[in-house]
Amino acid sequence: MRSSTIRFRTLEEIARDIRLGRVSSLEVTRDALERGRSLNRQLGAFITFMEEQAIEDARRADRMIAQGDVRAASMPLLGVPVSVKDVFDTAGVRTTAGSRVFRRRKPARDALAVRRLREAGAVILGKTNLSEFAWGSVQSAFGALRNPHDPSRFAGGSSSGAGAALATGIGYGALGSDTAGSIRMPAAFCGVVGIKPTFGLVPCDGAIPLAWTMDTAGPLARTARDARIMLRALCDSASRRAIGAGRPDRTGGTRVLRGSLSGITIGIPEKHFFETLEPDVERALDEARRELRRAGARLRSVDLPFAELSNLATAIILQVEGATWHREKIARHFDAYGEIFRGRMIQGLLIPGRVYLKAQQLRNRIRLGVEAALGRVDAILTPTTAIVAHPLDETPRNSARVADIGRCTSPASLAGLPALSLPCGMSGEGLPIGMQLIGRAFEDGTLLRIGEAWQSRTDWHERRPEPLSRESS
């Protein structure tokens, strides 16, 4: 196969091709590494490439297939190149969390999520760039997080390197983390799929924390189907069964089949989420609603009380919990911290305990409101972000719209509920637009089935970054 043909195949397709011997894992892995290195100066998607280990793992996968190793049948990602956000520990390979504080840190063991990817047969290409210590609006100490659709713009949150790599055909899936939108926002800005699973579904053991009551590990991929395959690999065996099937209807059948959403009810919030959208985002979401109706879904209004206060509650929780973890490290490595992240942690140390408790009380009210709405519908539709990718020099310090960027993603994070970002349009400037679906706890599979139905009817996930099109052959 030509490189341009290999790169943009789905994870499901490339896994099948490797297993059937149509292409070798070694060929696919070498191509991904070469492409990653050639584009990294332009995008800053990777902090560390794991080239030697990746080549060795690819050769091992090819040997297993050639020898008919019985273990191969239970390894859904066998030989498939993926990336890992540099907040997850990798044995013997530096894990920096995007900060100079950990620039030489080499953990002895893999994070549990990384170990599960390896057990599923994945080939890890390297560690992707991220906002310092996963605070989405803060730049990495290892270079700007650039959007492949326009490198002068932001890639969208702390899992930015993962989103940028996937959008440009570097690997077939990525492990990211999401505390308040850090999987979903880069998925939206880069034009890929990202799911924040139900809180606790994927283990965060061995991941450098931001806020331990909200941190969530999950996959980014180019399709909802691929995201399902990765999510199953990241979960324990009991959870995989739930992810593999959507919620059954009263007859015991599956309600989302072959692009039809008949029998599915989707809630549309009356307030907060659809206010002050950029015109292109508003247009894309209007068309998304029409397409969902054409697919057979019923749409009904829902109310999500206190959602407008979600950013406030999130900021307090992140600052207090983050400051607690970083307290001693800031004292020892003050100058190694980036100025913005360090300032937020110092602010967190000054927030009184009663304010943190008030934020947690507000969080509980938001959670109860979202859960009540989901008692009447199967999923809630919102924009992923109210804006498209913004210029790199536009920051929360000088732009109110950027400071408010997490207002659509924070409620699901506070509630601990699964939330899926899907491509749903392009702006007039050629920038991707994402829509978000929020679901019930541990019904991640239902969201993914809706996503699969959506993508069987639309082609937004097939749009490639134009500025890099000359590099893709």
Side-chain angles (χ1 to χ4, degrees):
M1 294 185 188
R2 292 178 64 235
S3 294
S4 57
T5 304
I6 292 172
R7 289 169 186 158
F8 290 102
R9 294 182 73 74
T10 68
L11 183 152
E12 184 176 34
E13 289 168 343
I14 205 69
R16 182 179 63 242
D17 288 344
I18 291 170
R19 197 174 293 273
L20 294 176
R22 294 171 181 166
V23 65
S24 70
S25 174
L26 183 60
E27 178 185 353
V28 173
T29 299
R30 279 179 168 160
D31 180 74
L33 287 166
E34 288 171 7
R35 183 162 173 79
R37 289 195 179 281
S38 70
L39 294 180
N40 206 45
R41 182 173 294 181
Q42 186 176 0
L43 294 179
F46 284 82
I47 293 175
T48 303
F49 287 99
M50 296 165 56
E51 188 161 356
E52 289 186 12
Q53 188 174 111
I55 294 297
E56 180 183 339
D57 290 344
R59 285 178 170 146
R60 183 183 301 113
D62 288 336
R63 284 197 301 271
M64 289 180 69
I65 293 166
Q67 295 168 4
D69 193 313
V70 294
R71 295 172 296 173
S74 62
M75 301 171 77
L77 304 180
L78 184 60
V80 177
V82 303
S83 63
V84 170
K85 183 176 178 177
D86 201 29
V87 76
F88 293 94
D89 284 352
T90 40
V93 178
R94 68 173 180 168
T95 301
T96 71
S99 177
R100 289 185 299 153
V101 176
F102 286 159
R103 62 190 179 277
R104 296 187 183 90
R105 178 177 178 269
K106 289 187 177 181
R109 291 178 292 184
D110 285 336
L112 181 50
V114 173
R115 190 167 81 227
R116 287 182 177 173
L117 288 177
R118 292 193 194 279
E119 290 169 351
V123 174
I124 298 176
L125 296 169
K127 310 295 290 294
T128 51
N129 202 0
L130 68 151
S131 309
E132 185 174 16
F133 286 112
W135 194 298
S137 60
V138 179
Q139 280 293 1
S140 169
F142 296 91
L145 301 159
R146 297 184 180 276
N147 193 303
H149 294 267
D150 179 350
S152 72
R153 293 176 182 260
F154 190 41
S158 79
S159 299
S160 294
L166 281 170
T168 50
I170 305 169
Y172 302 86
L175 173 61
S177 68
D178 190 312
T179 304
S182 291
I183 286 174
R184 292 160 286 162
M185 287 189 281
F189 278 11
C190 295
V192 298
V193 174
I195 183 167
K196 182 201 83 68
T198 303
F199 180 78
L201 184 66
V202 179
C204 284
D205 309 54
I208 297 169
L210 175 58
W212 62 85
T213 67
M214 293 176 66
D215 291 344
T216 308
L220 295 91
R222 285 195 284 271
T223 69
R225 175 69 180 168
D226 289 352
R228 179 193 297 277
I229 293 168
M230 276 204 72
L231 183 57
R232 282 173 55 87
L234 290 165
C235 293
D236 61 28
S237 57
S239 299
R240 286 172 195 157
R241 289 191 291 273
I243 295 163
R247 189 183 185 194
D249 62 20
R250 291 186 179 87
T251 67
T254 301
R255 297 188 296 173
V256 183
L257 295 171
R258 300 184 184 278
S260 172
L261 293 173
S262 177
I264 291 291
T265 302
I266 295 177
I268 309 295
E270 296 176 343
K271 301 175 183 177
H272 178 63
F273 295 90
F274 289 89
E275 297 168 359
T276 63
L277 300 183
E278 287 187 346
D280 284 339
V281 177
E282 184 172 14
R283 171 187 51 78
L285 267 293
D286 286 344
E287 176 55 32
R289 286 191 289 246
R290 287 191 288 270
E291 184 61 38
L292 290 168
R293 286 195 181 96
R294 287 193 287 268
R298 294 190 301 269
L299 272 57
R300 64 185 300 177
S301 295
V302 294
D303 183 31
L304 302 181
F306 304 105
E308 69 278 6
L309 298 176
S310 58
N311 268 7
L312 174 62
T314 297
I316 293 169
I317 293 169
L318 263 60
Q319 284 184 287
V320 172
E321 295 185 5
T324 302
W325 194 82
H326 284 275
R327 180 176 189 142
E328 293 182 2
K329 293 177 182 63
I330 287 179
R332 294 198 307 268
H333 308 288
F334 187 85
D335 291 334
Y337 278 86
E339 179 185 357
I340 296 175
F341 185 83
R342 180 178 65 207
R344 289 179 178 170
M345 293 302 96
I346 292 172
Q347 289 175 359
L349 292 172
L350 300 176
I351 294 174
R354 66 180 182 278
V355 174
Y356 173 76
L357 292 175
K358 286 287 186 183
Q360 290 287 7
Q361 289 174 334
L362 176 57
R363 174 187 185 174
N364 193 48
R365 290 191 175 193
I366 292 169
R367 177 184 62 81
L368 291 173
V370 179
E371 288 179 344
L374 286 166
R376 302 167 57 225
V377 299
D378 296 293
I380 296 169
L381 173 70
T382 78
T384 306
T385 61
I387 64 175
V388 296
H390 55 82
L392 287 168
D393 59 3
E394 188 177 2
T395 70
R397 286 186 167 186
N398 63 25
S399 171
R401 73 179 192 135
V402 175
D404 198 33
I405 197 171
R407 68 183 177 91
C408 294
T409 54
S410 288
S413 294
L414 290 167
L417 298 175
L420 173 69
S421 180
L422 298 161
C424 71
M426 300 290 284
S427 75
E429 299 170 294
L431 298 169
I433 297 167
M435 70 181 194
Q436 176 180 235
L437 292 166
I438 303 170
R440 301 183 186 93
F442 299 104
E443 293 190 13
D444 308 57
T446 297
L447 286 187
L448 289 164
R449 290 193 68 83
I450 296 172
E452 289 169 33
W454 168 262
Q455 291 190 319
S456 73
R457 304 176 63 91
T458 64
D459 65 355
W460 299 114
H461 59 289
E462 297 175 357
R463 307 298 174 95
R464 306 290 175 240
E466 288 298 325
L468 301 175
S469 60
R470 290 187 297 274
E471 311 263 3
S472 64
S473 59

